[in-house]
Amino acid sequence: MQELLRIAPVIDDLGRLFGEAGHSLYLVGGSVRDALLGRLGHDLDFTTSARPDETHALLKAFTPATWDIGRDFGTIGAIKRDGDQEWQIEVTTFRADVYRSESRKPEVAFGDTIEGDLIRRDFTVNAMAIDIASRAFVDPYGGLEDLADGLIRTPSTPERSFSDDPLRMLRAARFASRLGFSVVPEVVAAMTDMAERISIVSVERIQGELTGLLLTDSPREGLDLLVRTGLADQFLPELPALKLEIDEHAHHKDVYEHSLTVLDQAIELEKARGHEPDIVNRLAALLHDIGKPATRRFEGPKVTFHHHDLVGAKLVRKRLKALAYPGAVVKSVEKLVELHLRFHGYSDGEWSDSAVRRYVRDAGDELERLHMLTRADCTTRNRQRATRLRRAYEELEWRIDELAAQEEIRSLRPHLDGTQIMAVLGIGAGPEVGEAYRFLLEHRTEHGPIPEEDAEALLRDWWAARQG
């Protein structure tokens, strides 16, 4: 009631407009769930008996800021400002969508009753409504009880629900992680039996649900549910493939459990270092070892994974592109997977200043993420080893900061830029300029900064030797 009173200035006027036009209006779905949990934000979802054209006209009378965000799906959006408050509103006509067996998109069908609308929703905790006119609470499928018990259940049978929209199987995993709820056995069973049906859903929608899951505070349970039900095999098979059989002498750790633990620790580091939830950080943590299954070899009593970093970088690029992630995300995650073992050379022995510069140069813009991934990748239960690794990385970060203060290595550039190189050598643009640039950059990495006149002399000597 407190949450409803808080939004009363919005819902009272909106409800009056729809009521005078002869239409019912309900606050619905996630808005009701969040109101009951005491966490209702400024995004409000409504459902109505009005058809989209009527809804648009009514919202225009309510606020000038309206837009057609999905008329074909019955949804009209608006923004309402009330003093210093701003509300984002979506109003959707009662719906009754279904997927056909061969379709990647739902067929839109409008309904006539609130009960019919609620039964087509994904889970009972999202199938509750409040009649704006009477303030009556509508909960025909036991959502309030499931909310109190922390359960994910479907309003209709899970088979019908997942047949209507297979993406709901992924959404079950996301809500399990987001809310910390348990998925009831009959829903888990249906997810397992119907996992292959996710193939009819567009890759963009699948990626959106996976991203939403990974950006929750505790994605581990949802990810494990996707693996246990076989859903992950359909769109992220590299994750269940990490369940490598442990040999009888336990010569290597459980790579799958290790990867989930690294993800947990990366999220904690994200928070501790003051960062917002970061999909690049989380994808890199989850997938940093996906090259291990392909590179596992038994060498006598030892198990090795030589070059799994390089193999993993190629695999992660291919998989994330297949999942339609933006190019910048793919490039960043690929680089982090490729570099995630680099630190271990430092922990095994002293690095020169040039090696530290090279580490920073190769990491580039991903240096902070590489810090987090490398720290999160320590999951050993050996306290002495864990302490040694932590101290070694603290020392490396300290040396990076020290060199950065002296030399600005975070934006490492060669001693001379391209224009200066052409002027010193008396040449025009061409591949020779790039070769000279790389030579000077390598020298800067190995030896640190030098005066400009010394750099010019160094360049002339290199050019003379090259010409000779």
Side-chain angles (χ1 to χ4, degrees):
M1 286 304 300
Q2 289 176 336
E3 294 290 273
L4 291 178
L5 287 171
R6 183 170 65 85
I7 64 173
V10 176
I11 64 175
D12 285 348
D13 291 344
L14 194 59
R16 190 176 306 112
L17 272 173
F18 276 78
E20 290 173 354
H23 293 294
S24 53
L25 182 71
Y26 296 84
L27 188 70
V28 73
S31 293
V32 177
R33 181 199 68 229
D34 289 346
L36 289 165
L37 293 172
R39 57 175 79 161
L40 181 61
H42 286 79
D43 293 351
L44 304 178
D45 293 328
F46 298 88
T47 188
T48 180
S49 57
R51 292 313 192 240
D53 289 344
E54 298 172 282
T55 298
H56 202 179
L58 290 168
L59 283 177
K60 275 185 164 182
F62 179 64
T63 174
T66 64
W67 66 93
D68 186 343
I69 60 174
R71 183 185 297 269
D72 290 344
F73 294 94
T75 302
I76 307 295
I79 290 178
K80 177 68 172 179
R81 294 178 178 87
D82 179 36
D84 60 350
Q85 300 285 321
E86 181 176 285
W87 310 92
Q88 184 161 317
I89 295 165
E90 290 187 4
V91 183
T92 302
T93 302
F94 293 155
R95 291 261 293 273
D97 307 343
V98 294
Y99 270 86
R100 299 306 176 196
S101 60
E102 72 287 351
S103 174
R104 286 180 175 270
K105 294 182 179 180
E107 291 186 6
V108 178
F110 297 135
D112 298 310
T113 67
I114 184 61
E115 291 78 13
D117 179 90
L118 294 179
I119 198 170
R120 60 154 288 276
R121 292 180 179 265
D122 50 10
F123 308 112
T124 58
V125 295
N126 297 327
M128 299 176 284
I130 295 172
D131 187 327
I132 299 304
S134 67
R135 295 294 197 271
F137 181 58
V138 183
D139 180 24
Y141 307 109
L144 182 60
E145 185 175 353
D146 286 344
L147 191 69
D149 292 340
L151 298 176
I152 301 295
R153 187 192 312 275
T154 55
S156 60
T157 66
E159 291 79 10
R160 175 183 171 185
S161 181
F162 298 154
S163 181
D164 284 350
D165 186 352
L167 192 69
R168 291 171 178 172
M169 295 186 284
L170 270 64
R171 205 170 293 146
R174 175 166 63 87
F175 276 111
S177 283
R178 180 184 170 191
L179 300 174
F181 285 9
S182 299
V183 181
V184 298
E186 59 267 29
V187 170
V188 174
M191 292 169 68
T192 304
D193 293 341
M194 302 178 67
E196 291 185 1
R197 187 159 169 75
I198 197 67
S199 63
I200 74 166
V201 179
S202 70
V203 68
E204 289 80 10
R205 295 184 75 210
I206 291 173
Q207 184 246 96
E209 282 299 323
L210 176 62
T211 297
L213 167 58
L214 286 170
L215 292 178
T216 63
D217 282 344
S218 303
R220 185 187 192 112
E221 176 55 35
L223 289 168
D224 196 49
L225 178 62
L226 295 179
V227 170
R228 285 187 283 115
T229 56
L231 274 160
D233 288 301
Q234 306 300 316
F235 63 90
L236 190 61
E238 294 82 2
L239 183 58
L242 294 176
K243 283 180 167 286
L244 299 177
E245 181 181 349
I246 306 296
D247 64 281
E248 66 272 21
H249 302 295
H251 285 147
H252 66 85
K253 66 182 72 176
D254 184 328
V255 182
Y256 172 72
E257 288 296 330
H258 164 75
S259 298
L260 294 181
T261 300
V262 172
L263 176 60
D264 290 340
Q265 295 183 168
I267 292 171
E268 290 306 310
L269 282 167
E270 210 175 65
K271 296 174 182 176
R273 293 172 81 110
H275 299 293
E276 293 296 315
D278 178 9
I279 190 60
V280 170
N281 177 48
R282 299 184 183 202
L283 283 168
L286 180 65
L287 302 177
H288 72 286
D289 275 345
I290 67 169
K292 281 190 171 181
T295 59
R296 183 170 67 156
R297 300 290 183 272
F298 293 93
E299 299 179 359
K302 290 183 61 178
V303 179
T304 64
F305 302 97
H306 295 312
H307 307 302
H308 77 268
D309 47 343
L310 303 179
V311 172
K314 293 178 181 178
L315 289 173
V316 87
R317 178 178 70 242
K318 181 179 179 181
R319 177 53 56 197
L320 296 186
K321 287 176 70 175
L323 284 168
Y325 274 99
V329 171
V330 176
K331 185 177 179 181
S332 294
V333 178
E334 179 186 3
K335 177 182 279 191
L336 290 166
V337 172
E338 181 180 337
L339 295 177
H340 82 274
L341 292 181
R342 186 73 62 87
F343 159 72
H344 291 284
Y346 185 88
S347 66
D348 293 337
E350 184 71 15
W351 274 9
S352 63
D353 284 352
S354 64
V356 176
R357 292 189 196 99
R358 196 179 307 279
Y359 185 82
V360 174
R361 186 193 72 186
D362 291 349
D365 294 338
E366 304 306 325
L367 183 61
E368 172 65 3
R369 286 170 170 150
L370 185 57
H371 287 332
M372 290 191 288
L373 175 58
T374 304
R375 286 179 176 273
D377 196 21
C378 177
T379 61
T380 178
R381 296 180 181 178
N382 183 317
R383 288 190 177 184
Q384 188 175 2
R385 174 171 167 73
T387 299
R388 181 174 66 80
L389 289 171
R390 176 178 54 79
R391 287 177 176 171
Y393 207 85
E394 286 172 354
E395 179 186 343
L396 176 58
E397 286 201 62
W398 175 82
R399 288 185 64 193
I400 289 171
D401 290 341
E402 185 181 52
L403 283 172
Q406 297 170 4
E407 306 173 14
E408 298 182 355
I409 63 170
R410 288 182 189 273
S411 55
L412 196 61
R413 298 290 185 271
H415 308 298
L416 305 172
D417 62 24
T419 302
Q420 291 171 304
I421 289 170
M422 289 187 287
V424 169
L425 299 181
I427 61 175
E432 295 89 352
V433 178
E435 292 178 36
Y437 186 96
R438 288 188 289 275
F439 164 72
L440 292 174
L441 179 59
E442 185 66 23
H443 188 277
R444 169 72 188 274
T445 301
E446 288 292 334
H447 304 287
I450 59 176
E452 185 175 322
E453 57 270 23
D454 292 349
E456 291 176 357
L458 179 70
L459 179 61
R460 291 191 186 95
D461 290 344
W462 171 82
W463 182 252
R466 185 179 182 279
Q467 296 300 104

